[in-house]
Amino acid sequence: MNPSRRHFLKTAAALSMTGGAGFALDLARFNAFAAQTGGYRALVCVFLFGGMDCHDTVIPYDTTNYNRYADIRSSLFNRYDDLEGGSTRARDRLLPMTLANASDFGGRQFALPPELGPLHELMDENACSIVSNVGPLVVPVTRDDYQNRSAPLPPRLFSHNDQQSVWMASQPEGARFGWGGRLADVMLEANANQDSTFTVVSTSGNQVFLSGQLAGQFEVGSNGPAVIRGIDDDNYLSSDALPALYESHLRAQNETLSNLLQRDYASAVNRSIDANRTLAESFEAPAPFATVFPQNYLGQQLQVVARVIAQRAVLGVNRQIFFVGIGGFDSHSGQANSIPNRHGEIASAMRAFYDATVEMGVGNDVTAFTASDFGRTLTVNRDGTDHGWGAHHLVVGGGLAGSRMHGTFPEPVLEHAYDSGNGRLIPTTSVDQFAATFGRWFGLNDTELDDALPGLSNFSTRDIGLFTGAAI
């Protein structure tokens, strides 16, 4: 569907609400979609702001390639000491992976650092996979293409703000719509959700990733639903009566205003208040799972996501997309002091989140994946690394096709065919292909994928094979 039609539908839907039609779509059509697509599914984007060092996340393990890698990174490795003595990046401290598709890599072996132990366990349980060297591309690019500028390149490479936006929306800072929001738009057009309010949810502020023409993101805090100042306060400006009076004033405007646009705005305010209270009331009950989440920032956010998923029937949703995020990955210096802690936070939080989804019976229906501004250089500058491009990313969920690594994993050397300089990887899997694979699992057909991901047509592979069984 073209953008102008989406805009028309969005406007028409808003206007119909002012006439008392309500925010819910037709329940029979909602139930028909649920029956057709097999029930609930959710995607959770875990964004790592700053550019996570992919070379420190998935590490060569076979002796030949480990030695080549360690030689390039020796000045950094010596700083990864812990209480046990020696570097935590020493080969005997790493966690080798047993990949279901190990034969695809011709005898090469790979490992995770010890801080990612909980995700290594999920690899053994066939609930975690890796997509290697993924990043923004316009068309496939090699080192020669890059150096000769003989192929179009993503705009403003190596810039934090711009590459965050390019990852999320295929455009630099200032983009209006992200691929998460565009996938959600397709689901809303298909009447996937009885109520669109909770289709896209962020615990990390307003993010272009979730912005669509129809999908409007609902924001919650890391501790749950927000408190609406002046209305939800028990005592506002030293008055017990003022909150109720203020709310009554806002709601009365909807009936007394004669201007259609003003009434529409007032209706949106009313819906926001009602939606926030619906969610807040669901959080008053104990969590519907016994899994204990780590008390770190990512763990708190993913616990909130799990609580929202638990209320999917009450909220009237069959398809949801979430965004959570943490920072601290711009490791120009002091990397050995920062990245292990960040890895530990990622692993403990994503493991707990997966366990909670299994408890709730949706372990196969929820997929979480990491994303980041970019990877980093293989070379080091004393105790840190510089901005890169392609990166390896983690995917967690019960619907995955076993413990696998997807895509091309360049050798740990410099000046290979996908090295743009200093071991800065040129992606071999595009974000469009990455997104299309999730979109297919989410329920989109080829036509809908092309509509949601305009750059996908530039790549021959549309599904990188993350999931089991036939696509919906």
Side-chain angles (χ1 to χ4, degrees):
M1 176 177 292
N2 61 48
S4 60
R5 184 171 174 231
R6 280 206 181 101
H7 178 73
F8 172 79
L9 286 176
K10 186 175 184 179
T11 304
L15 293 176
S16 70
M17 294 168 200
T18 67
F23 199 56
L25 295 171
D26 182 74
L27 184 59
R29 298 172 74 184
F30 169 70
N31 289 335
F33 180 90
Q36 177 184 354
T37 58
Y40 180 80
R41 287 196 173 172
L43 291 169
V44 183
C45 177
V46 180
F47 207 90
L48 312 175
F49 289 96
M52 185 176 73
D53 183 6
C54 60
H55 301 292
D56 199 10
T57 302
V58 184
I59 300 174
Y61 188 73
D62 60 279
T63 303
T64 297
N65 284 298
Y66 175 81
N67 288 340
R68 296 157 87 186
Y69 169 77
D71 182 60
I72 294 173
R73 288 214 155 187
S74 59
S75 63
L76 184 57
F77 272 18
N78 294 334
R79 299 173 184 268
Y80 280 85
D81 293 334
D82 64 6
L83 295 178
E84 296 182 31
S87 173
T88 58
R89 298 304 182 262
R91 187 172 182 273
D92 62 357
R93 301 288 298 280
L94 302 178
L95 305 174
M97 294 184 288
T98 303
L99 298 175
N101 63 333
S103 59
D104 292 348
F105 297 94
R108 297 173 63 192
Q109 297 173 306
F110 307 92
L112 299 179
E115 300 83 20
L116 290 178
L119 296 185
H120 186 266
E121 294 171 0
L122 285 182
M123 294 283 292
D124 290 341
E125 297 172 25
N126 293 330
C128 179
S129 287
I130 292 165
V131 182
S132 58
N133 196 19
V134 58
L137 287 171
V138 179
V139 297
V141 173
T142 65
R143 177 180 173 86
D144 287 342
D145 295 328
Y146 175 79
Q147 291 180 331
N148 298 325
R149 296 300 192 265
S150 57
L153 300 175
R156 302 176 192 172
L157 284 170
F158 319 128
S159 158
H160 282 295
N161 290 350
D162 290 304
Q163 290 312 299
Q164 289 165 12
S165 182
V166 171
W167 236 102
M168 297 182 199
S170 301
Q171 296 178 30
E173 190 173 20
R176 295 177 58 201
F177 306 114
W179 60 265
R182 292 195 298 267
L183 295 183
D185 280 347
V186 175
M187 292 293 97
L188 291 176
E189 288 170 358
N191 297 322
N193 291 342
Q194 180 184 353
D195 188 328
S196 66
T197 309
F198 300 98
T199 300
V200 289
V201 179
S202 173
T203 66
S204 189
N206 191 293
Q207 299 292 338
V208 69
F209 174 76
L210 293 180
S211 180
Q213 296 254 6
L214 297 176
Q217 55 193 295
F218 189 93
E219 295 181 39
V220 296
S222 59
N223 293 316
V227 173
I228 303 177
R229 185 169 174 78
I231 293 179
D232 291 336
D233 298 307
D234 292 333
N235 185 286
Y236 185 56
L237 298 179
S238 301
S239 171
D240 294 331
L242 188 56
L245 289 172
Y246 182 34
E247 180 178 349
S248 176
H249 172 70
L250 287 176
R251 291 187 182 277
Q253 285 186 13
N254 188 44
E255 299 175 359
T256 59
L257 292 171
S258 58
N259 184 286
L260 186 61
L261 294 179
Q262 289 178 320
R263 292 188 63 180
D264 189 45
Y265 177 81
S267 292
V269 171
N270 286 343
R271 293 196 305 274
S272 296
I273 295 171
D274 292 339
N276 200 66
R277 286 191 176 158
T278 296
L279 190 60
E281 289 171 3
S282 73
F283 271 64
E284 292 175 358
F289 45 78
T291 299
V292 177
F293 280 75
Q295 293 305 298
N296 54 47
Y297 187 47
L298 184 58
Q300 290 174 333
Q301 290 180 78
L302 287 175
Q303 184 174 22
V304 168
V305 171
R307 293 289 300 269
V308 175
I309 289 173
Q311 299 301 319
R312 59 197 180 277
V314 173
L315 302 178
V317 287
N318 267 327
R319 291 292 184 275
Q320 287 185 287
I321 302 178
F322 297 88
F323 185 98
V324 303
I326 56 171
F329 293 93
D330 193 19
S331 51
H332 288 284
S333 62
Q335 179 165 319
N337 297 324
S338 62
I339 295 303
N341 292 332
R342 297 285 78 75
H343 276 161
E345 183 171 358
I346 294 167
S348 61
M350 293 186 75
R351 170 81 221 208
F353 179 69
Y354 172 75
D355 290 343
T357 63
V358 171
E359 270 195 80
M360 295 187 291
V362 291
N364 292 343
D365 306 316
V366 179
T367 301
F369 60 91
T370 62
S372 192
D373 318 13
F374 35 62
R376 305 193 77 82
T377 55
L378 179 59
T379 59
V380 302
N381 49 1
R382 294 192 60 195
D383 63 346
T385 55
D386 289 326
H387 297 181
W389 186 355
H392 316 312
H393 285 289
L394 302 157
V395 185
V396 170
L400 298 175
S403 171
R404 296 173 181 269
M405 187 152 68
H406 302 269
T408 300
F409 195 103
E411 293 185 354
V413 296
L414 302 177
E415 300 184 2
H416 55 71
Y418 293 97
D419 177 10
S420 65
N422 293 317
R424 182 182 285 118
L425 298 179
I426 299 171
T428 48
T429 295
S430 73
V431 173
D432 288 299
Q433 293 169 295
F434 190 66
T437 302
F438 293 122
R440 174 74 72 185
W441 177 79
F442 209 51
L444 279 70
N445 60 36
D446 283 337
T447 300
E448 291 166 337
L449 287 173
D450 285 329
D451 187 28
L453 304 166
L456 181 60
S457 60
N458 293 331
F459 302 92
S460 57
T461 300
R462 301 168 64 87
D463 186 331
I464 59 177
L466 275 168
F467 298 99
T468 58
I472 290 177

